[in-house]
Structures are given as structure tokens and as C-alpha cells.
Amino acid sequence: MMPVETESQLQESLPDKSQSKLPSTAEHWQIVSATFITVFIAELGDKTQLTTLVIAAQSHQPWIVFAGAAIALVSTSLLGVLAGKWLAKTFSPNLLNTLAGLSFLILSISLLWDAIA
């Protein structure tokens, strides 16, 4: 006859998910949602969207234009993800945050300078 384990004994025998490097399903959805919202808002009204609008209007082939634009966006996103993966392996998160902050600061100063001049 097999011994009956209590719930606490079963919990102890299971791997600790808090120590796991794999994100939970909720964390996956949070990452997907944040990425979707960020990219969607960034792409609204930009020159790429306006260009696809014009191409679709001129070609009268909106689904073909959609397919081409979707493949292009997926491809550029893949390049960004691969570059991000490489950067994450190569540099520390603190250095990446500092470099990102400095690049935004330089861009802001440049845009401010252009607006004033």
C-alpha cells in the first residue's frame, strides 16, 4: 500500500516556480500585451503606414499590399528581437539602460536644438 502524501508534502516535491527562469503564462500575456500596445501606437500615423495607404490606393490591391507590409513589419521586428537578444547576452542590463537613456537624451537635445534654431 502506498503512503498518502499531504498537500504540503506534495507542494515541497514540486519545483519552485518562483526560482524558475521561465515566465508564467500571465507574464507571457503581459509581455505580448505591452509589446503589441507599444508597437501599435508607435506605428499609427507614421510614414510607413502612410506609404502603405498610398500604395494600396494606387494599386487597388489592398490585400497584397497588406501581405507585403505585414511581412516587412515581421521581418524588421525579427531583426530587432535578434539584436536585443544579442545585446542582452553581451552587455549588462544597467549598461543597456544607461545607453538607451543617453540616446534618448541626445535625440531630445537634437530635436530641441532644431526647434529653437
Side-chain angles (χ1 to χ4, degrees):
M1 186 167 176
M2 296 189 64
V4 177
E5 293 182 332
T6 64
E7 186 177 336
S8 62
Q9 288 172 326
L10 285 172
Q11 296 261 340
E12 289 173 6
S13 66
L14 295 173
D16 184 9
K17 288 187 178 180
S18 65
Q19 300 298 323
S20 174
K21 287 190 168 195
L22 297 174
S24 68
T25 303
E27 290 171 320
H28 282 223
W29 282 112
Q30 184 179 13
I31 294 168
V32 167
S33 299
T35 304
F36 174 82
I37 291 167
T38 303
V39 172
F40 186 82
I41 291 172
E43 293 297 321
L44 280 178
D46 75 342
K47 62 186 177 205
T48 305
Q49 187 181 31
L50 296 174
T51 302
T52 56
L53 181 145
V54 170
I55 294 171
Q58 290 176 345
S59 70
H60 302 288
Q61 299 290 325
W63 289 110
I64 294 173
V65 174
F66 170 75
I71 292 167
L73 183 57
V74 168
S75 299
T76 58
S77 296
L78 176 63
L79 289 175
V81 168
L82 293 176
K85 182 178 177 182
W86 177 80
L87 286 170
K89 286 183 178 180
T90 308
F91 301 104
S92 73
N94 287 337
L95 178 61
L96 290 175
N97 284 338
T98 301
L99 291 175
L102 284 174
S103 67
F104 279 113
L105 183 63
I106 291 168
L107 180 63
S108 300
I109 291 170
S110 173
L111 291 172
L112 182 62
W113 183 264
D114 286 345
I116 293 172

